[in-house]
Amino acid sequence: MNLARQPGLLIRTILTASAVALAAVASSPAPSSHAAAPKPPDAFAERMKLYARISSATRMDWRTLAAIDQYERTMARAHPRTRPIRKDAISGIFIPKERWSGELNPDSDDSKPGSIRFFHGIGRDGSGDGIADRDNDADLLFSVASQIAKYGNGKDDFAIGLWEYYQNTRSVQRVEQFRKIYQTYGKLELTQHAFPLPVSSVYSYRSTWGNRRSWGGYRIHEGTDIFAGYGVPVRSTCFGIVEVKGWNPFGGWRIGIRDLDNLYHYYAHLSGYEKSIKPGDVVRPGQVIGWVGSSGYGRPGTQGKFPPHLHYGVYRDRGLVEWAFDPYPMLHRWESAEKKALKVDRQK
């Protein structure tokens, strides 16, 4: 059939084809504006891969590498301006340019392992590409681990290596504490928290940060007071290690716990401790460590100078000193999360 000689038929054919095409387009699924974004990589899995790689190269246990890396990460958080790390970094390691390349090296950005060693820099190639890249996670962790491992992997050797690298007793203590926590639980993801009192108990609290205190001299209140009856259980809020336990003239019977974020959790005015708890023990969120009381403001054993309550404070280690900050927002967040979890459990 010659459509060119039948204009009406030609137009009807074109319109029919167009309609079919439009129908096909209309029936095809439209691209979703809410398409699932690529799943971000599991940070803990990525770290484990890095630790396994450096462990095979240095024969240093992954828990030891994790402790070093985590300490470095906490220092980067405490000093973001002077210890910057990349946003996409897997490791928390920071090494200044002059230490990486060598103080007398004329090229502060040197990435050649040979010339770096010549100028006594610590930069090393941990990735196997022949380059000592200060922006490479494997190179960074391998460089630090190599320096610390020079003295051996025994307990005393490790402590000496840490001291030689950091020149800071506090740093040595922190890395060893973190290693013990990782050794106890055998995993990296230890980020859960708990409210310091059972959320099913009767208690009350509000933000008391900065309030004035007069006993022992005028000072500000560095923490949050949670009022409850005598004997209400006091629980660890985190995975951590017991650092201090005993009497304090201000806090009475108190206990201090260090967590993997290098935060010191301070629990004061207790009426007593859980008997099995001692300094050096590793604890978990929700584990009972003592009971609410009213001890303090006097000689050992002084009780009753104020209503029973838990004084809860948090201090961040900045390397040489520690600074307190207001724990109220964290307490409120942990309390809400725990109450929500209990509500979900009851509905099951």
Side-chain angles (χ1 to χ4, degrees), residues 8-226:
L9 182 59
L10 175 61
I11 292 172
R12 287 195 299 272
T13 302
I14 293 172
L15 289 175
T16 300
S18 298
V20 172
L22 288 172
V25 171
S27 63
S28 63
S32 173
S33 59
H34 301 287
K39 187 177 180 180
D42 184 331
F44 294 108
E46 291 298 311
R47 289 182 200 173
M48 281 299 297
K49 290 179 184 177
L50 176 63
Y51 301 154
R53 182 175 189 172
I54 304 305
S55 178
S56 65
T58 62
R59 296 185 180 180
M60 189 176 281
D61 183 73
W62 74 261
R63 298 162 186 83
T64 301
L65 292 167
I68 296 168
D69 189 38
Q70 183 62 16
Y71 176 70
E72 289 273 328
R73 186 173 289 104
T74 66
M75 289 295 99
R77 289 173 183 165
H79 304 279
R81 292 184 179 180
T82 58
R83 296 178 61 92
I85 57 175
R86 307 183 326 276
K87 289 184 179 180
D88 63 341
I90 299 172
S91 169
I93 300 292
F94 173 80
I95 302 174
K97 284 186 176 183
E98 60 275 11
R99 193 171 191 185
W100 180 268
S101 59
E103 292 186 3
L104 299 179
N105 194 331
D107 182 6
S108 61
D109 293 316
D110 196 356
S111 61
K112 301 180 184 66
S115 58
I116 289 175
R117 282 195 298 271
F118 179 81
F119 287 104
H120 305 291
I122 70 169
R124 298 290 183 270
D125 170 26
S127 62
D129 61 1
I131 299 172
D133 185 356
R134 192 166 158 268
D135 288 326
N136 182 287
D137 294 298
D139 292 359
L140 285 165
L141 185 56
F142 179 72
S143 299
V144 175
S146 297
Q147 291 297 306
I148 294 173
K150 286 194 302 185
Y151 298 89
N153 287 326
K155 183 177 180 180
D156 292 338
D157 298 329
F158 178 62
I160 293 171
L162 287 173
W163 165 252
E164 289 295 333
Y165 184 77
Y166 289 109
Q167 298 286 301
N168 183 347
T169 302
R170 186 191 292 256
S171 301
V172 177
Q173 181 186 21
R174 297 292 175 267
V175 174
E176 290 187 325
Q177 288 173 325
F178 292 177
R179 179 167 69 162
K180 187 171 183 178
I181 296 172
Y182 285 129
Q183 287 174 336
T184 299
Y185 294 104
K187 63 179 182 177
L188 287 176
E189 192 171 359
L190 300 170
T191 58
Q192 299 91 335
H193 289 88
F195 192 70
L197 303 185
V199 294
S200 58
S201 61
V202 178
Y203 61 86
S204 65
Y205 72 105
R206 60 183 177 84
S207 179
T208 52
W209 174 265
N211 290 356
R212 296 185 71 184
R213 293 290 186 269
S214 59
W215 192 87
Y218 283 100
R219 53 201 168 85
I220 68 167
H221 188 243
E222 295 183 343
T224 296
D225 288 338
I226 307 175

